[in-house]
């Protein structure tokens, strides 16, 4: 009996051991598989021969005449064909299409804003504070209240508090006993030894998070958009990003995406003083023609707008450096300031990067499930070496198969696995679709490009303001559906950009359903 039970115990032990070994094997296999899978994805898909020239040579492409060889000679009606043709156009260096760009009349009535150049300067904003004990702390992310000798405020002492706040740039920073006095104490939502890593980076899928390093000289950030009539969201963008972005490239056309004539409203507002608070950071880009074939196939216009924006814009910037950052957004995509500032101040992140954006319709009150994750930016070096200085290629996801990618990845010193600012549960920005008053939605309907079918602007009954108001009230869509929206509350985190909340009454139609009680 003794022997059998011992035998059984031995067998049990063996079984247990076997069980754990198998478990371990499965886990390590899964881990290896995941890593290998990512590697294969990146490496084996890049079967094109690398064609990178040194940045110095490539930079000639930027400062030379990048517009001279762009044209859209396609009149196919199929999006896939267009994309294929685009790819060939951009990848096949031997067959460059013929020149087709005409810049506006230099003696035109626009004060030649569209011909000016912009000289990028270094940003000397003091984003960091040296504490008395020698630590370097990110100002927005550091908890000054944890400083020793913090003055205690009484309720009727608000004046003194304000005064002290103004002086806080030189506040000494010593800490609670027991802690390393040369560390920064981070505010909630900030991380890293310098408190400069925001939650949207800390909780992102960036795989080089442990290698982040503060830069001595900040990068310059260039934010490029095409504008139609999204002027509320334009103010939002400028206020949200003014501290993080060095230059806004804003492109306006006197054609709608459908091909009709339209007034240069943004130019008018720029000239009448509406944007004086940010004018020094704006480079105005004027698209004065409609791409060939754009009426028959709207996707051509869609692509062309971004190509023109990038190529014209970049050709007019002086002093660009390879480590400057290019961020391309649609007018209704607003990145959160903290994420962009991080890109500016840190080294060690990889590219290209996307942004997880909170999705909403008609206003911030109709929140949609999940996030919109759009590839939005990269360094100038990558934009030139891999994307050939063409913004539309940046929006596509197949960068790893572009010529120049492998060589670029090698010189970058990182494995360039894509990542995104934010996460599915930490918004890195806002995407507010059709966020206009009913008149604005009407205008968007009739100016929409001809290709994203069904084109609701073609239906008389869908253009009626009463119909549009009803859609806004119910959160419905033009196809008759009414999706389910989770409840929202203006006080929840990342409900809407700060500028709107700070000007609640002026923009209440974007923050609360204006027809809910009608
Ligand atoms: C703020 O600084 C000014 C001058 O630098 C000084 O006169 C003033 O007393 C300071 N205020 C506080 C609350 O420390
Ligand atoms: C405090 O931090 C500094 C810099 O991070 C480090 O050099 C020093 O050794 C630390 N001191 C203690 C007591 O942990
Ligand atoms: C757009 O502007 C250009 C240059 O001023 C002009 O030649 C063209 O006719 C304009 N197009 C429309 C539709 O207004
Ligand atoms: C500029 O023009 C717009 C639209 O016509 C108008 O609403 C705005 O008040 C003007 N701004 C200034 C500063 O004149
Ligand atoms: C700058 C550049 O590449 N220019 C080329 C544009 O295309 C024409 C004709 O295809 C060439 O002759 C130019 O050299």
């Amino acid at each position: 009996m003794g022997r059998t039970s011992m035998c059984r115990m031995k067998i049990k032990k063996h079984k247990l051991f076997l069980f754990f070994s198998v478990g371990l094997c499965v886990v390590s296999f899964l881990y290896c598989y995941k890593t290998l899978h990512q590697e294969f994805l990146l490496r084996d898909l890049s079967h094109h021969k690398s064609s990178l020239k040194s940045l110095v040579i490539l930079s000639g492409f930027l400062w030379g005449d990048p517009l001279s060889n762009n044209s859209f000679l396609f009149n196919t009606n199929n999006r896939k064909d267009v994309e294929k043709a685009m790819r060939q156009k951009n990848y096949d260096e031997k067959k460059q299409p013929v020149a087709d760009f005409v810049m506006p009349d230099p003696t035109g009535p626009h004060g030649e804003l569209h011909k000016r150049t912009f000289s990028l300067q270094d940003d000397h904003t003091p984003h960091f504070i040296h504490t008395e004990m020698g630590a370097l702390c990110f100002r927005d992310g550091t908890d000054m209240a944890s400083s020793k000798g913090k003055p205690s405020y009484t309720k009727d002492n608000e004046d003194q508090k304000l005064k002290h706040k103004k002086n806080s740039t030189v506040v000494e920073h010593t800490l609670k006993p027991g802690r390393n006095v040369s560390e920064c104490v981070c505010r909630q939502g900030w991380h890293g030894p310098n408190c400069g890593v925001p939650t949207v980076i800390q909780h992102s899928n960036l795989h080089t998070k442990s290698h982040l390093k503060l830069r001595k000289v900040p990068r310059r950030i260039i934010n490029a958009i095409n504008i139609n009539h999204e002027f509320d969201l334009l103010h939002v963008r400028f206020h949200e990003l003014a501290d993080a972005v060095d230059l806004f490239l804003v492109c306006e056309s006197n054609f709608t995406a459908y091909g009709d004539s339209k007034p240069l409203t943004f130019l008018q507002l720029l000239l009448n003083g509406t944007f004086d608070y940010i004018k020094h950071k704006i480079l105005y880009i004027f698209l004065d023609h409609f791409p060939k074939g754009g009426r028959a196939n709207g996707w051509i216009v869609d692509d062309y707008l971004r190509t023109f924006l990038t190529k014209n814009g970049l050709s007019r910037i002086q002093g660009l450096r390879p480590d400057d950052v290019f961020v391309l957004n649609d007018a209704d995509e607003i990145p959160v300031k903290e994420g962009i500032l991080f890109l500016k101040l840190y080294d060690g992140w990889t590219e290209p990067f996307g942004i997880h954006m909170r999705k909403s319709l008609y206003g911030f009150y109709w929140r949609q499930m999940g996030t919109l994750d759009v590839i939005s930016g990269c360094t100038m070096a990558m934009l030139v070496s891999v994307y050939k200085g063409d913004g539309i290629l940046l929006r596509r996801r197949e960068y790893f198969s572009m010529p120049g990618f492998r060589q670029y990845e090698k010189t970058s010193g990182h494995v360039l696995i894509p990542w995104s600012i934010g996460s599915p549960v930490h918004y890195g920005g806002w995407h507010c679709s059709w966020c206009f008053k009913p008149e604005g939605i009407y205008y968007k309907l009739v100016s929409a490009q001809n290709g994203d079918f069904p084109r609701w602007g073609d239906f008389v009954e869908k253009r009626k303001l009463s119909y549009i108001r009803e859609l806004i009230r119910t959160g419905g869509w033009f196809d008759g559906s009414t999706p389910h929206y989770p409840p929202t509350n203006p006080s929840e985190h990342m409900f809407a950009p700060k500028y709107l909340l700070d000007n609640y009454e002026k923009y209440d139609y974007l923050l609360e359903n204006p027809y809910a009680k009608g």
Side-chain angles (χ1 to χ4, degrees):
M1 201 177 142
R3 273 188 93 176
T4 25
S5 71
M6 245 169 73
C7 243
R8 273 195 200 131
M9 262 171 70
K10 263 191 180 171
I11 287 170
K12 259 190 188 167
K13 267 188 191 163
H14 272 101
K15 269 189 180 166
L16 213 65
F17 179 72
L18 210 70
F19 178 75
F20 275 119
S21 309
V22 167
L24 208 67
C25 274
V26 168
V27 168
S28 22
F29 173 77
L30 282 177
Y31 186 79
C32 278
Y33 176 78
K34 198 179 152 212
T35 317
L36 277 175
H37 182 73
Q38 280 181 337
E39 282 285 297
F40 278 131
L41 203 77
L42 289 171
R43 307 214 171 264
D44 280 23
L45 283 177
S46 30
H47 45 77
H48 289 263
K49 269 194 192 142
S50 146
S51 71
L52 179 112
K53 304 171 181 77
S54 81
L55 251 183
V56 183
I57 296 172
L58 278 162
S59 67
F61 167 84
L62 273 185
W63 289 289
D65 188 5
L67 299 183
S68 62
N69 273 339
N70 271 284
S71 71
F72 291 77
L73 306 171
F74 323 112
N75 44 13
T76 46
N77 280 314
N78 181 307
R79 165 118 226 215
K80 277 201 177 136
D81 286 347
V82 174
E83 287 193 353
K84 207 169 134 197
M86 281 288 295
R87 250 172 273 144
Q88 271 183 343
K89 175 180 85 72
N90 286 285
Y91 298 165
D92 190 345
E93 293 181 338
K94 282 172 209 153
K95 281 189 215 158
Q96 292 274 12
V98 220
D100 186 50
F101 278 81
V102 185
M103 280 307 288
D105 180 1
T107 59
H110 312 313
E112 299 200 84
L113 274 188
H114 61 287
K115 302 220 94 184
R116 291 196 188 158
T117 57
F118 187 96
S119 178
L120 266 186
Q121 303 297 322
D122 278 328
D123 175 7
H124 294 295
T125 312
H127 293 290
F128 290 88
I129 307 169
H130 261 293
T131 66
E132 224 175 36
M133 304 306 290
L136 193 60
C137 304
F138 183 60
R139 189 185 288 172
D140 296 349
T142 303
D143 182 5
M144 292 301 170
S146 296
S147 319
K148 200 168 104 191
K150 137 192 143 180
S152 51
Y153 304 113
T154 52
K155 267 181 189 156
D156 46 9
N157 213 357
E158 287 298 315
D159 274 357
Q160 191 196 334
K161 185 175 173 177
L162 267 178
K163 249 190 215 160
H164 186 84
K165 259 193 176 167
K166 277 184 189 154
N167 286 11
S168 66
T169 50
V170 287
V171 156
E172 76 285 0
H173 193 253
T174 47
L175 305 170
K176 296 163 199 158
R179 296 199 56 173
N180 190 333
V181 287
S182 58
E183 270 175 16
C184 313
V185 177
C186 300
R187 280 190 181 143
Q188 197 187 0
W190 294 91
H191 311 266
N194 311 95
C195 299
V197 178
T199 292
V200 288
I201 302 298
Q202 185 73 9
H203 292 280
S204 72
N205 59 346
L206 175 63
H207 72 287
T208 56
K209 242 175 271 171
S210 53
H211 297 91
L212 299 175
K213 261 181 62 187
L214 261 191
R215 289 175 62 93
K216 288 207 174 64
V217 180
R219 302 167 194 270
R220 281 81 55 86
I221 308 276
I222 297 143
N223 184 203
I225 56 158
N226 284 290
I227 185 84
N228 292 300
H229 60 298
E230 304 87 350
F231 296 115
D232 291 342
L233 291 182
L234 193 61
H235 281 296
V236 172
R237 169 183 310 279
F238 290 154
H239 283 94
E240 178 71 26
L241 296 176
D243 294 342
V245 167
D246 296 80
L247 174 62
F248 292 99
L249 301 177
V250 185
C251 179
E252 182 174 44
S253 176
N254 60 351
F255 289 90
T256 67
Y258 192 57
D260 295 335
S261 166
K262 87 179 194 29
L264 296 173
T265 314
F266 176 59
L267 180 65
Q268 284 160 20
L269 295 174
L270 206 52
L271 294 175
N272 91 345
T274 300
F275 291 102
D276 275 5
Y277 66 95
I278 195 76
K279 202 166 77 174
H280 60 289
K281 288 194 174 185
I282 297 176
L283 192 61
Y284 181 76
I285 297 164
F286 175 38
L287 173 58
D288 72 343
H289 57 280
F290 191 67
K292 271 179 205 156
R295 191 60 177 254
N297 183 345
W299 294 112
I300 292 180
V301 190
D302 225 48
D303 290 354
Y304 186 81
L305 283 166
R306 297 198 182 105
T307 302
F308 185 87
L309 162 69
T310 328
K311 298 229 165 183
N312 179 271
L314 295 181
S315 72
R316 290 164 54 203
I317 304 175
Q318 288 161 356
L320 269 173
R321 289 196 295 248
D323 61 356
D324 291 335
V325 179
F326 182 78
V327 184
L328 178 69
N329 295 131
D330 282 352
D332 60 4
E333 299 166 356
I334 318 279
V336 72
K337 163 186 157 181
E338 287 77 12
I340 303 300
L341 209 47
F342 162 83
L343 301 173
K344 186 183 184 77
L345 301 175
Y346 278 84
D347 274 340
W349 46 268
T350 73
E351 51 184 334
F353 58 85
I355 303 176
H356 278 284
M357 287 173 284
R358 181 188 189 273
K359 294 192 294 183
S360 63
L361 186 66
Y362 306 134
F364 293 86
Y365 46 90
W366 287 131
R367 177 163 70 88
Q368 298 167 318
M369 300 298 278
T371 60
L372 181 71
D373 180 11
V374 178
I375 293 196
S376 306
C378 63
T379 60
M380 279 308 304
M382 183 169 184
L383 185 66
V384 173
S385 320
V386 180
Y387 297 116
K388 312 241 175 284
D390 186 346
I392 187 62
L393 297 180
L394 173 63
R395 296 285 286 207
R396 310 235 158 99
R397 290 194 167 261
E398 62 265 34
Y399 63 89
F400 41 77
S401 65
M402 294 181 189
F405 173 69
R406 292 189 65 163
Q407 181 63 36
Y408 179 72
E409 185 179 43
K410 232 181 258 168
T411 51
S412 82
H414 290 295
V415 179
L416 299 184
I417 298 173
W419 68 288
S420 293
I421 297 173
S423 79
V425 291
H426 295 89
Y427 301 130
W430 300 265
H431 177 245
C432 197
S433 296
W434 300 78
C435 290
F436 299 99
K437 291 182 173 156
E439 297 75 18
I441 292 181
Y442 170 86
Y443 192 64
K444 186 175 163 90
L445 279 175
V446 297
S447 11
Q449 52 111 324
N450 192 23
D452 198 359
F453 295 115
R455 189 176 178 278
W456 302 113
D458 292 337
F459 300 83
V460 180
E461 70 279 11
K462 311 259 175 195
R463 296 201 300 254
K464 282 193 183 138
L465 289 183
S466 55
Y467 177 78
I468 293 172
R469 276 194 287 271
E470 186 59 13
L471 288 185
I472 296 177
R473 190 181 71 80
T474 60
W477 186 238
F478 293 96
D479 63 3
S481 66
T482 306
H484 175 72
Y485 300 93
T488 57
N489 183 334
S491 63
E492 71 200 33
H493 184 58
M494 291 293 287
F495 173 78
K498 190 169 177 299
Y499 175 70
L500 294 178
L501 297 172
D502 288 350
N503 296 274
Y504 201 100
E505 282 178 20
K506 185 172 178 192
Y507 295 107
D508 60 356
Y509 78 95
L510 289 175
L511 301 167
E512 282 171 28
N513 190 335
Y515 308 108
K517 288 172 200 132

